[in-house]
């Protein structure tokens, strides 16, 4: 009996690369006769012809399926939607649609998995699409995460990774809405193996993950996996109080013993400046965490599936407007909708 492997690909305005990606994946699995495979595209609110291409591929190849989200929910939620729809697969592989995650490496990932790894992580050695600012920002992010959080995230780790079925089932128990997908997987632990690769140039288009989105992801990751920013604010407050006390003591001593005159407003300004700095820093960090709490308490669905194609469409056709949570399968959504 063949082993079933699922591949989840988030898509955002990648119409020009989807057919080439499908062809390369098919070529790779022709060299792996012991495996059945399924390719799931998750269209994350693309404004181009991406969904039309996905539907065409699903009609042409029964191993291709698609989910069309109702809007752009972001890559993290697109990956979540994809993994929630994977039933019966022994392992799930995540990769980008722009071919910067080379399909030729799939056999290496599978080999590491067959040798006992529960999670196989793609480590990017080089990426010519990254500007100097992005490279420096990436190094700074991994430096901070390694020292401030309790999560061991491999430097230059990517979403190009394979996870075992057991990891998928565990992943389905996570419900937070402000998430870093790879961070959650790394937090779980399990046996991990690394595969290094050099990212080639994009086959078409321009990068869709802007610097602003990367900064937002970094901030969300730091505040989701670490209380260090709050602790830092506390330490900063203690430090500023110490400096303020020392400065005020110096001003009082020089005023009393050395006849150095300070106006009353000088004392007020020194004290006020430091206290306002402490308060603003503390409020800023607390606001980030309260924002996360608000997002979780509101309890909106993680994503909304507008329609599906291929295996996920089933006999009833489209799933327009179905709300699918992280642990709900498409079949469950269909049964509940027709109950």
């Amino acid at each position: 009996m063949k082993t079933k492997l699922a591949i989840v690909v988030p898509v955002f305005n990648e119409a020009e690369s989807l057919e080439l990606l499908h062809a390369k994946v098919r070529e790779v699995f022709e060299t792996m006769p012991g495996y059945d495979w399924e390719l799931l595209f998750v269209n994350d609110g693309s404004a181009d012809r991406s969904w039309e291409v996905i539907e065409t591929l699903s009609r042409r190849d029964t191993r291709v399926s698609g989910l069309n989200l109702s809007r752009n929910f972001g890559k993290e939620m697109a990956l979540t939607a994809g993994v929630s729809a994977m039933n019966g697969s022994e392992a799930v592989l995540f990769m980008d649609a722009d071919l910067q995650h080379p399909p030729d490496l799939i056999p290496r990932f599978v080999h590491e998995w067959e040798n006992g790894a529960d999670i196989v992580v793609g480590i990017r050695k080089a990426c010519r699409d990254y500007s100097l600012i992005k490279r420096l920002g990436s190094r700074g992010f991994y430096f901070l995460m390694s020292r401030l959080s309790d999560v061991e995230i491999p430097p230059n780790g990517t979403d190009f990774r394979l996870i075992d079925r057991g990891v998928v089932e565990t992943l389905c128990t996570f419900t937070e809405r402000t998430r870093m997908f790879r961070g959650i997987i790394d937090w779980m632990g399990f046996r991990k193996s690394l595969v290094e690769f050099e990212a080639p140039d994009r086959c078409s288009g321009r990068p869709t993950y802007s610097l602003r989105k990367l900064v937002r992801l970094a901030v969300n990751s730091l505040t989701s996996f670490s209380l260090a920013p709050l602790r830092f604010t506390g330490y900063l407050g203690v430090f500023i109080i110490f400096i303020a006390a020392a400065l005020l003591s110096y001003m009082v001593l020089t005023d009393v013993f050395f006849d150095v005159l300070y106006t009353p407003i000088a004392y007020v300004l020194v004290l006020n400046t430091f206290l306002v700095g402490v308060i603003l820093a503390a409020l800023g960090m607390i606001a980030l965490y309260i924002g996360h709490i608000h997002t979780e308490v509101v309890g909106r669905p993680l994503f909304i599936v507008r329609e599906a194609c291929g295996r996920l469409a089933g006999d009833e056709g489209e799933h327009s407007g179905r709300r699918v949570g992280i642990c709900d399968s498409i079949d469950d959504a269909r049964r509940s909708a027709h109950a």
Side-chain angles (χ1 to χ4, degrees):
M1 184 177 179
K2 293 185 177 182
T3 303
K4 184 177 180 181
L5 179 65
I7 302 173
V8 174
V9 181
V11 177
F12 182 65
N13 295 335
E14 304 281 0
E16 297 179 9
S17 62
L18 298 182
E19 291 195 12
L20 181 58
L21 174 62
H22 169 254
K24 287 187 173 295
V25 169
R26 185 179 57 197
E27 290 176 4
V28 168
F29 277 97
E30 286 176 355
T31 67
M32 303 170 63
Y35 283 87
D36 278 333
W37 58 279
E38 177 181 3
L39 183 59
L40 171 61
F41 293 107
V42 182
N43 185 39
D44 188 26
S46 298
D48 64 358
R49 297 179 54 257
S50 293
W51 180 245
E52 297 177 26
V53 175
I54 294 170
E55 287 185 309
T56 300
L57 289 173
S58 69
R59 289 191 292 267
R60 187 186 307 165
D61 189 340
T62 58
R63 294 167 296 191
V64 176
S65 300
L67 290 178
N68 190 19
L69 303 188
S70 61
R71 64 171 177 83
N72 178 250
F73 286 88
K75 184 179 181 181
E76 311 303 311
M77 292 308 174
L79 290 169
T80 300
V83 76
S84 72
M86 289 295 95
N87 294 325
S89 299
E90 296 301 320
V92 178
L93 176 69
F94 306 98
M95 61 191 307
D96 289 349
D98 55 13
L99 293 175
Q100 288 194 304
H101 294 166
D104 293 340
L105 290 177
I106 292 176
R108 287 185 58 190
F109 278 74
V110 173
H111 175 74
E112 295 294 330
W113 172 59
E114 289 176 337
N115 285 342
D118 299 307
I119 301 172
V120 185
V121 181
I123 304 296
R124 181 172 41 223
K125 293 193 295 184
C127 183
R128 284 166 287 193
D129 282 352
Y130 268 31
S131 65
L132 177 61
I133 294 178
K134 284 188 176 182
R135 288 197 296 268
L136 293 177
S138 176
R139 292 177 184 175
F141 168 74
Y142 285 111
F143 175 82
L144 290 176
M145 285 293 291
S146 64
R147 283 159 176 78
L148 299 182
S149 73
D150 57 354
V151 182
E152 185 179 348
I153 298 181
N156 298 321
T158 66
D159 290 317
F160 188 22
R161 55 183 62 201
L162 181 148
I163 61 176
D164 183 75
R165 182 175 183 175
V167 181
V168 172
E169 294 173 354
T170 304
L171 183 61
C172 283
T173 64
F174 288 75
T175 59
E176 63 257 42
R177 286 154 175 78
T178 303
R179 60 177 56 204
M180 179 188 183
F181 198 77
R182 73 187 76 164
I184 292 176
I185 294 175
D186 290 330
W187 181 89
M188 289 191 290
F190 291 103
R191 291 166 293 188
K192 188 180 298 181
S193 180
L194 308 180
V195 174
E196 291 188 339
F197 70 98
E198 291 190 10
D201 293 333
R202 290 175 58 90
C203 64
S204 62
R206 297 184 303 172
T208 56
Y209 223 71
S210 65
L211 181 61
R212 181 172 61 87
K213 290 182 179 180
L214 289 172
V215 171
R216 182 187 303 170
L217 178 62
V219 172
N220 287 339
S221 301
L222 285 171
T223 53
S224 296
F225 289 98
S226 175
L227 294 177
L230 284 180
R231 296 193 188 100
F232 174 77
T233 302
Y235 298 149
L236 178 63
V238 172
F239 174 75
I240 291 177
I241 290 172
F242 173 79
I243 294 297
L247 182 58
L248 286 173
S249 299
Y250 173 81
M251 293 172 67
V252 169
L253 290 175
T254 54
D255 190 3
V256 172
F257 295 104
F258 299 99
D259 294 328
V260 179
L261 297 178
Y262 300 97
T263 62
I265 194 65
Y267 288 101
V268 174
L269 285 175
V270 170
L271 181 61
N272 245 12
T273 299
F274 286 115
L275 291 182
V276 167
V278 172
I279 292 171
L280 289 178
L283 286 178
M285 290 310 306
I286 292 172
L288 286 175
Y289 285 91
I290 292 177
H292 287 317
I293 295 172
H294 169 75
T295 301
E296 297 297 326
V297 170
V298 168
R300 295 191 182 101
L302 298 178
F303 53 86
I304 301 174
V305 177
R306 180 182 179 185
E307 54 188 323
C309 65
R311 174 185 65 83
L312 300 180
D315 297 332
E316 288 85 354
E318 296 179 352
H319 296 277
S320 178
R322 303 288 192 272
R323 293 189 173 190
V324 185
I326 184 171
C327 292
D328 295 331
S329 68
I330 301 300
D331 292 334
D332 291 339
R334 181 168 64 249
R335 283 194 296 269
S336 64
H338 289 275

